[in-house]
Amino acid sequence: MMQRIDLRGGLPPRAELLRLMPRAAGDVSSATAAARDLVDAVREHGAAALHEQAERFDGGAPEHVRVPAAEIDAAVAGLAPELRVALDEAIRRVRAASAAQVPTGSVTTLADGAEVHQRWQPMRRVGLYVPGGKAVYPSSVVMNVVPAQVAGVGSIALVSPPQRDHGGRVHPTILAAAGLLGVDEVYAMGGAGAVGALAYGVPEIGLDPVDLVTGPGNNYVAAAKRLVRGVVGIDSEAGASEILVIADDTADPGYVAADLISQAEHDEQAGSVLVTTSAAFADAVEAVIPERTAVLGTATRLQTALDGPQSAIVLVNSLTDAATVSNAYGPEHLEIQTADDDAVLADIDAAGAVFVGPHAPVSLGDYLAGSNHVLPTGGQARFGSGLSASTFLRPQQVVRYTAQALAEVVPHIVALSTEEQLPAHGAAVSERTNR
């Protein structure tokens, strides 16, 4: 049974509401110490540490940490036709949606001869993490690589854990997806150590440091990204998956149950949350979950997730309250299935991605909606955003002033620099106008 949080007596103050939100017992913070050890080991010992971590966590070290080009080509050639068609379509849709995320440059003219140009420069080199472990995620290859390519990134390194079932190699479907996208720099490494390798580089295997690390992973991967932030940029701490569904009694209980289950099967720490105005609807949703989970090969994993402290049914008085609860939770994925979806959507300000209506399940976004599925978790949607083409771009301001335009603002600059006791600042402009 999923835990229930009854807020029908009225919502508490925000600080208390944040405390009440269901979260996994083992969050990113709890993984930080272990992740630090793994990152430091790779920084200090390079390939030897990667080899040891692969033996310890992945069931065997790969023969080649950098995947040979021939292995990528063979994976593409061996891809099942129906899977290739699906990947090609996912690539097409994500590429189209990502192109709309590239900002256009602009010029602001403040006076005659006084201009500030806004331009967007792509990152030089990025590292993309594609998780492995409990499942294979070619969709994450698409979601990471396509927006980077659309942004104009020139150098892309992709990492994914070596797989026990594939002799310590990267899963062939991951390699095939990379090959379809023209990515030939792929490394068999995973976990926190892989993030460290991307951040600091590993000369023995020809891995140069990157400027940005993106991609989803478990809490250890998210913790490692937190640790290397500042050395490199990161997209967000995309940890264990989570879904929050806002629904009233007009929604279909079977749809909602299916969607809660779909995200719970990612990981034992995945969070599934239903916020509803109807206790009877909550009962109906919960009633169909056992029969739907029992027939799935992932039943044990997802039942652990649904029964965990990170999953809950939250009862509220109104859909306005439901939106307030959702904003406090800051879900990675938010679904809205109500009598007035647009009214609820208008009250939402914190969500990684929003899926509106009965025919837009999160699974659509996981694969083929065109949106990106690399999204902030653990409440970070309150201040962070999902992966997009703009993630790989840096806004830069370019200033162009003529001598006359500069002369017009010299008195203001001198007045401000004098007040701040920085006379050399004023002198730097006066020098140009006193000649």
Side-chain angles (χ1 to χ4, degrees), residues 209-234:
V210 302
D211 301 314
L212 176 75
V213 177
T214 76
N218 60 22
N219 285 333
Y220 295 95
V221 171
K225 289 168 74 177
R226 178 182 293 181
L227 291 167
V228 301
R229 177 187 285 175
V231 176
V232 294
I234 67 170

Side-chain angles (χ1 to χ4, degrees), residues 234-262:
I234 67 170
D235 53 343
S236 65
E237 296 176 12
S241 185
E242 59 196 29
I243 179 175
L244 185 147
V245 181
I246 296 176
D248 59 18
D249 57 8
T250 67
D252 186 313
Y255 288 178
V256 172
D259 296 345
L260 295 172
I261 292 168
S262 72

Side-chain angles (χ1 to χ4, degrees), residues 383-415:
F383 50 83
S385 58
L387 193 67
S388 70
S390 60
T391 305
F392 300 94
L393 296 167
R394 295 158 295 171
Q396 294 177 341
Q397 297 179 82
V398 180
V399 180
R400 297 180 184 273
Y401 268 56
T402 63
Q404 180 59 38
L406 177 63
E408 291 175 1
V409 297
V410 167
H412 306 313
I413 294 172
V414 170

Side-chain angles (χ1 to χ4, degrees), residues 68-93:
E71 197 172 318
I72 298 174
D73 293 341
V76 173
L79 198 60
E82 66 276 11
L83 188 52
R84 176 158 188 166
V85 170
L87 282 169
D88 284 340
E89 181 63 11
I91 291 167
R92 184 188 72 80
R93 291 181 179 228

Side-chain angles (χ1 to χ4, degrees), residues 237-426:
E237 296 176 12
S241 185
E242 59 196 29
I243 179 175
L244 185 147
V245 181
I246 296 176
D248 59 18
D249 57 8
T250 67
D252 186 313
Y255 288 178
V256 172
D259 296 345
L260 295 172
I261 292 168
S262 72
Q263 297 308 298
E265 75 175 347
H266 273 289
D267 187 270
E268 287 86 351
Q269 290 189 321
S272 294
V273 180
L274 168 62
V275 183
T276 181
T277 53
S278 170
F281 178 80
D283 293 341
V285 170
E286 199 162 36
V288 300
I289 287 177
E291 65 190 54
R292 290 176 179 243
T293 59
V295 298
L296 299 173
T298 52
T300 301
R301 182 195 312 158
L302 64 85
Q303 196 60 59
T304 299
L306 291 171
D307 290 343
Q310 72 273 22
S311 298
I313 294 173
V314 183
L315 300 173
V316 293
N317 282 326
S318 67
L319 291 175
T320 299
D321 285 354
T324 300
V325 169
S326 179
N327 287 333
Y329 182 79
E332 177 190 20
H333 307 102
L334 169 63
E335 287 188 2
I336 303 173
Q337 299 184 41
T338 66
D340 193 347
D341 295 336
D342 288 337
V344 176
L345 180 61
D347 288 333
I348 296 299
D349 58 45
V354 185
F355 299 81
V356 181
H359 303 298
V362 166
S363 295
L364 174 65
D366 284 341
Y367 298 111
L368 226 68
S371 59
N372 203 293
H373 78 201
V374 183
L375 302 165
T377 62
Q380 295 189 70
R382 300 197 310 272
F383 50 83
S385 58
L387 193 67
S388 70
S390 60
T391 305
F392 300 94
L393 296 167
R394 295 158 295 171
Q396 294 177 341
Q397 297 179 82
V398 180
V399 180
R400 297 180 184 273
Y401 268 56
T402 63
Q404 180 59 38
L406 177 63
E408 291 175 1
V409 297
V410 167
H412 306 313
I413 294 172
V414 170
L416 289 166
S417 65
T418 300
E419 178 64 23
E420 295 185 355
Q421 300 181 42
L422 298 170
H425 283 62

